Amino acid sequence: MATDSAWISHSTIDRLEQSTKVRYLRRTLISAGVLPEIDVLLHDLDVYAHRLLARMPTAHAVLVGRYFRWSLAPAIRRMLHNRTMTAGIFSARRGQLRQIADFLQWLDQNGMTMQTVDQPAIDRFVSGNKTRQQVGPFVTWAVKEGFARDVSVTPVRSKATVAHLSDDDLYELTERVFMHGALPLPVRLITLFSLVFAQPVEASVALTREQVHESASQIAVTFAKTPIALPARLAALVRQHLEELDARRLHHPNEMGWLFPGTMPNQHLTPSAIERVASQHGFSLRHFRASRLQHFAQTIPASVVADVVGVTTNTAYRRSIDAGGSWRHYPGLRQDTTNTQSPHTFHRLDRNRPTTETGSP
């Protein structure tokens, strides 16, 4: 393309080996207005599917191609509902297609086809390997469309449960994160959002500068509907992050104004990247979020939980019932939304602990 030997187009890029570097090139050309806007990951999944089909035996390719076009791709588009595909969804659906290809190859190696496979064979294939259960939707579709016998893949869910952390445990973990200078600032903030406000990683990475309301006296963040004034120590970290963002020289556009811009043009950091770094330092953000949400359900009206966390009121109510709460009909409490805060747990972060420039205790 640089030497005019090929058209600058999506189809030209499609012929390259798909990788993070190629994805970066595509997004850079889109952000520059050279290429038309597309959902890059959704497009890459389509490219991956066509390449996978090209390497498969004809009979397999026909069957999987029908499944991809008639079932999987439409389901993905309905789920996205005009939102762009995330890296997690892309990775999961790509892995599912790969598992289906492996399943059909396994049938060939064992002298079977989708028309002749029986339930014991299905059970042998998925036994001892949970990722192989990804072939379940494909098998269900094949049975429904008449391409297979009446067989199924039984989901196997882990019975192990992780105990929720207590409020004191969450407080101690919050202190550790504040003091953890080796943790990158974006990861520290997103971890604290999980610990203090029960924010899912997916929502935190997608925050924009417009959702941060800065004044001389405080910083508030609109996680869901209601702006929440941050405790002083957490606000100090957010101010530090904003200052570093303003001072940083970005080499790619951030037209969406992401609070946590990623390495791709106009993209925020990915949840998997944040979780990976946090895990390396011993922090499980999903466990933190589930524990804080459980604590909220026990102590806060469902309507307030919905406004703060971003879940629906019915979901918050169900969690409240599960946790032993009885807040369903609690009236709205907000007068001045810019000063709304959640219960004493948040204020506890600042008790007898002066704020420093870095936000450390």
Side-chain angles (χ1 to χ4, degrees):
M1 291 187 292
T3 60
D4 290 333
S5 58
W7 290 101
I8 302 177
S9 66
H10 284 298
S11 60
T12 299
I13 297 178
D14 291 346
R15 294 198 292 270
L16 301 174
E17 187 64 33
Q18 299 303 300
S19 65
T20 302
K21 292 180 180 179
V22 171
R23 206 167 290 133
Y24 183 89
L25 170 64
R26 193 193 296 272
R27 282 183 164 140
T28 299
L29 294 175
I30 291 173
S31 66
V34 176
L35 291 179
E37 184 78 33
I38 62 170
D39 185 332
V40 172
L41 288 176
L42 185 61
H43 181 83
D44 282 2
L45 182 64
D46 190 63
V47 172
Y48 175 83
H50 281 85
R51 291 187 177 184
L52 180 66
L53 294 174
R55 297 194 301 268
M56 297 170 68
T58 302
H60 295 179
V62 170
L63 189 60
V64 178
R66 287 179 176 177
Y67 171 69
F68 181 74
R69 290 190 300 271
W70 297 352
S71 180
L72 185 58
I76 290 172
R77 287 183 169 85
R78 286 195 300 271
M79 177 187 66
L80 293 176
H81 191 58
N82 296 325
R83 292 174 293 140
T84 57
M85 176 175 277
T86 65
I89 296 174
F90 171 77
S91 179
R93 298 290 76 82
R94 181 178 59 181
Q96 182 181 8
L97 289 172
R98 189 164 54 243
Q99 284 290 340
I100 292 170
D102 291 344
F103 171 60
L104 294 176
Q105 184 180 17
W106 182 85
L107 291 180
D108 273 357
Q109 293 169 350
N110 288 270
M112 292 177 285
T113 66
M114 283 301 297
Q115 288 75 27
T116 62
V117 66
D118 55 17
Q119 191 62 51
I122 294 282
D123 294 340
R124 285 200 308 275
F125 177 79
V126 300
S127 63
N129 189 337
K130 290 182 181 180
T131 61
R132 291 185 173 189
Q133 294 178 51
Q134 293 187 62
V135 304
F138 169 73
V139 172
T140 300
W141 171 84
V143 172
K144 180 181 178 182
E145 297 297 325
F147 297 123
R149 298 178 179 181
D150 187 13
V151 292
S152 63
V153 175
T154 303
V156 178
R157 293 180 172 84
S158 173
K159 295 181 180 180
T161 57
V162 179
H164 288 301
L165 299 164
S166 68
D167 186 34
D168 285 338
D169 290 334
L170 292 170
Y171 174 66
E172 293 301 324
L173 283 163
T174 301
E175 290 299 309
R176 283 178 54 194
V177 175
F178 270 117
M179 298 174 65
H180 207 309
L183 202 62
L185 187 53
V187 181
R188 290 173 75 189
L189 286 172
I190 292 171
T191 302
L192 288 167
F193 292 162
S194 295
L195 281 164
V196 181
F197 298 105
Q199 285 301 294
V201 184
E202 295 81 2
S204 291
V205 296
L207 288 169
T208 65
R209 295 285 292 263
E210 290 185 352
Q211 292 172 264
V212 179
H213 316 288
E214 187 176 8
S215 69
S217 60
Q218 70 174 21
I219 287 184
V221 176
T222 303
F223 293 110
K225 296 180 180 179
T226 304
I228 304 299
L230 302 184
R233 296 168 67 208
L234 183 51
L237 282 184
V238 172
R239 287 188 193 276
Q240 179 184 340
H241 177 65
L242 293 174
E243 291 170 0
E244 291 181 2
L245 271 184
D246 292 337
R248 187 192 311 174
R249 200 174 165 190
L250 294 176
H251 298 287
H252 52 74
N254 182 22
E255 295 170 359
M256 297 295 293
W258 300 117
L259 182 61
F260 302 108
T263 56
M264 292 284 185
N266 292 319
Q267 301 294 307
H268 54 66
L269 291 173
T270 63
S272 59
I274 296 297
E275 289 177 325
R276 182 173 61 253
V277 175
S279 178
Q280 290 170 352
H281 292 269
F283 300 125
S284 173
L285 273 61
R286 294 185 185 275
H287 189 198
F288 295 169
R289 191 246 178 179
S291 298
R292 178 56 74 194
L293 196 55
Q294 177 78 0
H295 178 69
F296 280 174
Q298 294 172 327
T299 57
I300 312 177
S303 60
V304 178
V305 174
D307 282 357
V308 172
V309 178
V311 298
T312 65
T313 302
N314 284 338
T315 298
Y317 171 63
R318 287 196 301 271
R319 284 186 173 271
S320 174
I321 294 298
D322 292 341
S326 56
W327 296 98
R328 184 178 191 181
H329 302 295
Y330 199 95
L333 298 175
R334 294 174 304 281
Q335 299 266 339
D336 180 0
T337 58
T338 60
N339 289 315
T340 298
Q341 295 198 18
S342 294
H344 65 280
T345 306
F346 301 164
H347 299 284
R348 184 181 178 189
L349 299 179
D350 297 324
R351 188 177 298 169
N352 299 322
R353 295 179 182 273
T355 302
T356 66
E357 289 185 0
T358 61
S360 299

Coordinates of all heavy atoms in Angstrom, one line a residue, residues 171-233:
Y171 N -11.5 -3.5 53.3 CA -10.8 -2.3 53.7 C -9.3 -2.5 53.7 O -8.5 -1.7 53.3 CB -11.3 -2.0 55.1 CG -10.5 -0.8 55.7 CD1 -10.6 0.5 55.2 CD2 -9.7 -1.0 56.8 CE1 -9.9 1.5 55.7 CE2 -9.0 0.1 57.4 CZ -9.1 1.3 56.8 OH -8.4 2.4 57.4
E172 N -8.8 -3.7 54.2 CA -7.4 -4.0 54.3 C -6.8 -4.1 52.9 O -5.7 -3.6 52.6 CB -7.1 -5.3 55.1 CG -7.5 -5.2 56.6 CD -6.7 -4.1 57.3 OE1 -5.5 -3.9 56.9 OE2 -7.2 -3.5 58.2
L173 N -7.6 -4.7 52.0 CA -7.1 -4.8 50.6 C -7.0 -3.4 50.0 O -6.1 -3.1 49.2 CB -8.0 -5.7 49.8 CG -7.9 -7.2 50.0 CD1 -9.1 -8.0 49.5 CD2 -6.6 -7.7 49.3
T174 N -8.0 -2.6 50.3 CA -7.9 -1.2 49.8 C -6.7 -0.5 50.2 O -6.0 0.2 49.4 CB -9.2 -0.4 50.2 OG1 -10.4 -1.1 49.8 CG2 -9.2 1.0 49.7
E175 N -6.3 -0.6 51.5 CA -5.1 0.0 52.0 C -3.9 -0.6 51.2 O -3.0 0.2 50.9 CB -5.0 -0.3 53.5 CG -6.0 0.4 54.4 CD -5.8 1.9 54.3 OE1 -4.7 2.4 54.4 OE2 -6.8 2.6 54.0
R176 N -3.9 -1.9 51.0 CA -2.7 -2.4 50.2 C -2.6 -1.8 48.8 O -1.5 -1.5 48.4 CB -2.9 -4.0 50.1 CG -2.6 -4.7 51.4 CD -2.8 -6.2 51.1 NE -2.1 -6.7 50.0 CZ -2.4 -7.9 49.4 NH1 -3.3 -8.7 49.9 NH2 -1.7 -8.3 48.3
V177 N -3.7 -1.6 48.2 CA -3.7 -1.0 46.8 C -3.2 0.4 46.9 O -2.4 0.8 46.1 CB -5.1 -1.1 46.2 CG1 -5.1 -0.4 44.8 CG2 -5.5 -2.6 46.0
F178 N -3.7 1.2 47.9 CA -3.2 2.5 48.0 C -1.7 2.6 48.2 O -1.0 3.5 47.7 CB -3.9 3.2 49.2 CG -5.2 3.9 48.8 CD1 -6.4 3.5 49.4 CD2 -5.2 5.0 48.0 CE1 -7.6 4.1 49.1 CE2 -6.4 5.6 47.6 CZ -7.6 5.2 48.2
M179 N -1.2 1.6 48.9 CA 0.3 1.6 49.2 C 1.1 0.9 48.2 O 2.3 1.0 48.3 CB 0.5 0.9 50.6 CG -0.2 1.6 51.8 SD -0.1 0.7 53.3 CE 1.7 0.7 53.6
H180 N 0.5 0.3 47.2 CA 1.2 -0.5 46.2 C 1.7 0.4 45.1 O 1.2 0.5 44.0 CB 0.3 -1.6 45.7 CG 1.0 -2.8 45.2 ND1 2.0 -2.8 44.3 CD2 0.8 -4.1 45.5 CE1 2.4 -4.0 44.1 NE2 1.7 -4.8 44.8
G181 N 2.9 1.0 45.3 CA 3.5 1.9 44.3 C 3.9 1.2 43.1 O 4.0 1.9 42.0
A182 N 4.2 -0.1 43.1 CA 4.6 -0.8 41.9 C 3.5 -1.1 40.9 O 3.7 -1.4 39.8 CB 5.3 -2.1 42.3
L183 N 2.2 -0.9 41.4 CA 1.1 -1.2 40.5 C 0.8 0.0 39.7 O 0.7 1.1 40.2 CB -0.1 -1.5 41.4 CG -1.3 -2.2 40.8 CD1 -0.9 -3.6 40.4 CD2 -2.5 -2.3 41.8
P184 N 0.8 -0.1 38.3 CA 0.5 1.0 37.4 C -0.7 1.8 37.9 O -1.7 1.1 38.3 CB 0.4 0.3 36.1 CG 1.1 -0.9 36.2 CD 0.9 -1.4 37.6
L185 N -0.7 3.1 37.7 CA -1.8 3.9 38.2 C -3.1 3.5 37.7 O -4.1 3.4 38.4 CB -1.5 5.4 38.0 CG -2.4 6.4 38.6 CD1 -2.6 6.1 40.1 CD2 -1.9 7.8 38.4
P186 N -3.3 3.3 36.3 CA -4.6 2.9 35.8 C -5.1 1.6 36.5 O -6.3 1.5 36.8 CB -4.3 2.7 34.3 CG -3.2 3.6 34.0 CD -2.3 3.5 35.2
V187 N -4.2 0.6 36.7 CA -4.6 -0.6 37.4 C -5.0 -0.4 38.8 O -5.9 -0.9 39.3 CB -3.5 -1.7 37.3 CG1 -3.9 -3.0 37.9 CG2 -3.0 -1.9 35.8
R188 N -4.3 0.5 39.5 CA -4.6 0.8 40.9 C -6.0 1.4 41.0 O -6.8 1.1 41.8 CB -3.6 1.8 41.5 CG -2.2 1.2 41.7 CD -1.2 2.3 42.1 NE -1.4 2.8 43.5 CZ -0.8 3.8 44.1 NH1 0.0 4.5 43.3 NH2 -1.0 4.1 45.3
L189 N -6.3 2.4 40.1 CA -7.6 3.0 40.1 C -8.7 2.0 39.8 O -9.7 2.0 40.5 CB -7.6 4.2 39.1 CG -6.8 5.4 39.5 CD1 -6.8 6.4 38.3 CD2 -7.5 6.1 40.7
I190 N -8.5 1.2 38.8 CA -9.6 0.3 38.4 C -9.8 -0.8 39.5 O -10.9 -1.2 39.8 CB -9.3 -0.4 37.1 CG1 -9.4 0.7 35.9 CG2 -10.2 -1.5 36.7 CD1 -8.9 0.3 34.6
T191 N -8.7 -1.2 40.2 CA -8.8 -2.1 41.3 C -9.5 -1.4 42.4 O -10.4 -2.1 43.1 CB -7.4 -2.5 41.8 OG1 -6.7 -3.1 40.7 CG2 -7.5 -3.5 42.9
L192 N -9.3 -0.2 42.7 CA -10.0 0.5 43.8 C -11.5 0.7 43.4 O -12.3 0.6 44.3 CB -9.3 1.9 44.0 CG -8.0 1.8 44.7 CD1 -7.2 3.2 44.6 CD2 -8.1 1.4 46.2
F193 N -11.8 1.0 42.2 CA -13.2 1.1 41.8 C -13.9 -0.3 42.0 O -15.1 -0.3 42.4 CB -13.3 1.4 40.3 CG -12.8 2.8 40.0 CD1 -12.5 3.2 38.7 CD2 -12.7 3.8 40.9 CE1 -12.1 4.5 38.3 CE2 -12.3 5.1 40.7 CZ -12.0 5.4 39.3
S194 N -13.2 -1.4 41.9 CA -13.8 -2.7 42.2 C -14.0 -2.9 43.7 O -15.1 -3.3 44.1 CB -12.9 -3.8 41.6 OG -12.9 -3.8 40.2
L195 N -13.0 -2.5 44.4 CA -13.0 -2.7 45.9 C -14.0 -1.7 46.6 O -14.7 -2.2 47.5 CB -11.6 -2.4 46.5 CG -10.6 -3.5 46.3 CD1 -9.2 -3.0 46.6 CD2 -10.9 -4.7 47.3
V196 N -14.1 -0.5 46.1 CA -14.9 0.5 46.8 C -16.3 0.6 46.2 O -17.3 0.8 47.0 CB -14.2 1.9 46.8 CG1 -15.0 2.9 47.5 CG2 -12.8 1.7 47.4
F197 N -16.4 0.6 44.9 CA -17.7 0.8 44.3 C -18.3 -0.4 43.5 O -19.3 -0.2 42.8 CB -17.6 2.0 43.3 CG -17.2 3.3 44.0 CD1 -15.9 3.8 43.8 CD2 -18.1 4.0 44.7 CE1 -15.5 5.0 44.4 CE2 -17.7 5.2 45.3 CZ -16.4 5.7 45.2
A198 N -17.7 -1.5 43.7 CA -18.2 -2.8 43.0 C -18.3 -2.6 41.5 O -19.2 -3.2 40.9 CB -19.5 -3.2 43.6
Q199 N -17.4 -1.9 41.0 CA -17.4 -1.7 39.5 C -16.8 -2.9 38.7 O -15.7 -3.3 39.1 CB -16.7 -0.4 39.1 CG -17.4 0.9 39.5 CD -18.8 0.9 38.7 OE1 -18.8 1.0 37.5 NE2 -19.9 0.8 39.5
P200 N -17.5 -3.4 37.7 CA -16.9 -4.4 36.9 C -15.8 -3.8 36.1 O -15.8 -2.7 35.7 CB -18.1 -4.9 36.0 CG -19.0 -3.7 36.0 CD -18.9 -3.1 37.3
V201 N -14.8 -4.6 35.8 CA -13.6 -4.1 35.1 C -14.0 -3.6 33.7 O -13.5 -2.6 33.2 CB -12.6 -5.3 34.9 CG1 -11.3 -4.7 34.2 CG2 -12.2 -5.9 36.2
E202 N -15.0 -4.3 33.1 CA -15.4 -3.9 31.7 C -16.0 -2.5 31.8 O -15.8 -1.7 30.8 CB -16.5 -4.9 31.2 CG -16.0 -6.3 31.0 CD -15.9 -7.1 32.2 OE1 -16.3 -6.6 33.3 OE2 -15.5 -8.3 32.1
A203 N -16.7 -2.1 32.8 CA -17.3 -0.7 32.9 C -16.2 0.3 33.3 O -16.2 1.4 32.7 CB -18.4 -0.7 34.0
S204 N -15.2 -0.1 34.1 CA -14.2 0.9 34.5 C -13.3 1.3 33.3 O -13.0 2.4 33.2 CB -13.3 0.3 35.6 OG -14.1 0.2 36.8
V205 N -12.9 0.3 32.5 CA -12.0 0.6 31.4 C -12.7 1.5 30.4 O -12.0 2.2 29.6 CB -11.4 -0.7 30.7 CG1 -10.6 -1.4 31.7 CG2 -12.5 -1.5 30.2
A206 N -14.0 1.4 30.4 CA -14.8 2.2 29.4 C -15.2 3.6 29.9 O -16.0 4.2 29.2 CB -16.0 1.4 28.9
L207 N -14.8 4.0 31.0 CA -15.1 5.3 31.5 C -14.5 6.4 30.6 O -13.4 6.2 30.1 CB -14.5 5.5 33.0 CG -15.3 4.8 34.1 CD1 -14.4 4.9 35.4 CD2 -16.7 5.4 34.3
T208 N -15.1 7.5 30.5 CA -14.6 8.6 29.7 C -14.3 9.8 30.6 O -14.8 9.9 31.7 CB -15.6 9.0 28.6 OG1 -16.8 9.6 29.2 CG2 -16.0 7.8 27.7
R209 N -13.6 10.8 30.0 CA -13.3 12.0 30.8 C -14.6 12.7 31.2 O -14.7 13.4 32.2 CB -12.4 12.9 30.0 CG -11.0 12.4 29.7 CD -10.1 12.4 30.9 NE -9.8 13.7 31.4 CZ -8.6 14.3 31.0 NH1 -7.7 13.7 30.3 NH2 -8.3 15.6 31.5
E210 N -15.6 12.6 30.3 CA -16.9 13.3 30.6 C -17.6 12.8 31.8 O -18.4 13.4 32.4 CB -17.8 13.2 29.4 CG -17.4 14.0 28.2 CD -18.4 13.9 27.1 OE1 -19.4 13.1 27.2 OE2 -18.3 14.6 26.1
Q211 N -17.3 11.5 32.2 CA -17.9 11.0 33.4 C -17.2 11.4 34.7 O -17.6 11.0 35.8 CB -17.9 9.4 33.3 CG -18.8 8.9 32.2 CD -18.7 7.4 32.0 OE1 -18.0 7.0 31.1 NE2 -19.4 6.6 32.8
V212 N -16.1 12.1 34.6 CA -15.3 12.6 35.7 C -15.6 14.1 35.9 O -15.4 14.8 35.0 CB -13.8 12.3 35.6 CG1 -13.0 12.9 36.8 CG2 -13.5 10.9 35.3
H213 N -16.2 14.4 37.0 CA -16.6 15.8 37.3 C -15.6 16.4 38.3 O -15.6 16.1 39.5 CB -18.0 15.9 37.8 CG -18.9 14.9 37.0 ND1 -19.3 15.2 35.7 CD2 -19.5 13.7 37.4 CE1 -20.1 14.2 35.3 NE2 -20.2 13.3 36.3
E214 N -14.8 17.3 37.8 CA -13.7 17.9 38.6 C -14.0 19.3 39.1 O -14.4 20.1 38.3 CB -12.4 17.8 37.8 CG -11.1 18.2 38.6 CD -9.9 18.0 37.8 OE1 -10.0 17.8 36.6 OE2 -8.8 18.2 38.4
S215 N -13.8 19.6 40.3 CA -13.9 20.9 40.9 C -12.7 21.1 41.8 O -12.0 20.2 42.1 CB -15.2 21.1 41.6 OG -15.3 20.4 42.8
A216 N -12.6 22.4 42.3 CA -11.5 22.7 43.2 C -11.6 21.9 44.5 O -10.6 21.5 45.1 CB -11.5 24.2 43.5
S217 N -12.8 21.5 44.9 CA -13.0 20.9 46.2 C -13.1 19.4 46.2 O -12.9 18.7 47.2 CB -14.2 21.5 47.0 OG -15.4 21.3 46.2
Q218 N -13.6 18.8 45.0 CA -13.8 17.4 45.0 C -13.8 16.9 43.6 O -13.8 17.7 42.6 CB -15.2 17.1 45.6 CG -16.4 17.5 44.8 CD -17.7 17.0 45.3 OE1 -17.8 16.7 46.5 NE2 -18.7 17.0 44.5
I219 N -13.8 15.6 43.4 CA -13.9 14.9 42.2 C -15.1 13.9 42.3 O -15.1 13.1 43.3 CB -12.7 14.1 41.7 CG1 -11.6 15.2 41.3 CG2 -12.9 13.2 40.6 CD1 -10.3 14.5 40.7
A220 N -16.0 13.9 41.4 CA -17.1 12.9 41.3 C -17.0 12.2 40.0 O -16.5 12.7 39.0 CB -18.4 13.7 41.5
V221 N -17.5 10.9 40.1 CA -17.5 10.1 38.9 C -18.9 9.5 38.7 O -19.5 9.0 39.7 CB -16.5 8.9 39.1 CG1 -16.6 8.0 37.8 CG2 -15.1 9.4 39.2
T222 N -19.4 9.5 37.5 CA -20.7 8.9 37.2 C -20.4 7.5 36.7 O -20.2 7.3 35.5 CB -21.5 9.8 36.2 OG1 -21.6 11.1 36.6 CG2 -22.8 9.2 35.9
F223 N -20.5 6.6 37.6 CA -20.3 5.2 37.2 C -21.6 4.7 36.5 O -21.5 3.9 35.5 CB -20.0 4.3 38.4 CG -18.7 4.6 39.0 CD1 -18.7 5.2 40.3 CD2 -17.5 4.3 38.4 CE1 -17.4 5.4 40.9 CE2 -16.3 4.5 39.0 CZ -16.3 5.1 40.3
A224 N -22.8 5.1 37.0 CA -24.0 4.6 36.4 C -24.9 5.9 36.1 O -24.7 6.5 35.1 CB -24.7 3.7 37.3
K225 N -25.8 6.2 37.0 CA -26.7 7.3 36.8 C -26.3 8.5 37.7 O -26.5 9.6 37.2 CB -28.2 6.9 37.1 CG -28.7 5.9 36.1 CD -30.2 5.6 36.5 CE -30.8 4.5 35.6 NZ -32.2 4.2 35.9
T226 N -25.9 8.2 38.9 CA -25.7 9.3 39.9 C -24.2 9.6 40.0 O -23.4 8.7 40.3 CB -26.3 8.8 41.2 OG1 -27.6 8.5 41.1 CG2 -26.1 9.9 42.2
P227 N -23.8 10.8 39.9 CA -22.4 11.2 40.2 C -22.1 10.9 41.7 O -22.8 11.3 42.6 CB -22.3 12.7 39.9 CG -23.5 13.0 39.0 CD -24.6 12.0 39.5
I228 N -20.9 10.2 41.9 CA -20.5 9.9 43.2 C -19.3 10.6 43.6 O -18.2 10.5 42.9 CB -20.3 8.3 43.3 CG1 -21.5 7.5 42.9 CG2 -19.8 8.0 44.7 CD1 -22.7 7.8 43.7
A229 N -19.3 11.4 44.6 CA -18.1 12.1 45.1 C -17.1 11.1 45.7 O -17.5 10.3 46.6 CB -18.5 13.2 46.2
L230 N -15.9 11.2 45.2 CA -14.9 10.2 45.7 C -14.3 10.6 47.0 O -14.2 11.8 47.3 CB -13.8 10.1 44.6 CG -14.1 9.7 43.2 CD1 -12.9 9.6 42.4 CD2 -14.9 8.4 43.2
P231 N -14.0 9.7 47.8 CA -13.2 10.0 49.0 C -11.9 10.7 48.7 O -11.4 10.5 47.6 CB -12.9 8.6 49.6 CG -14.0 7.7 49.1 CD -14.2 8.2 47.7
A232 N -11.4 11.5 49.6 CA -10.3 12.4 49.2 C -9.0 11.6 48.7 O -8.4 12.1 47.8 CB -9.9 13.2 50.5
R233 N -8.7 10.5 49.3 CA -7.5 9.8 48.9 C -7.7 9.2 47.5 O -6.7 9.2 46.7 CB -7.2 8.7 49.9 CG -6.9 9.2 51.3 CD -6.9 8.0 52.3 NE -5.8 7.1 52.1 CZ -5.8 5.8 52.4 NH1 -6.9 5.3 52.9 NH2 -4.8 5.1 52.2

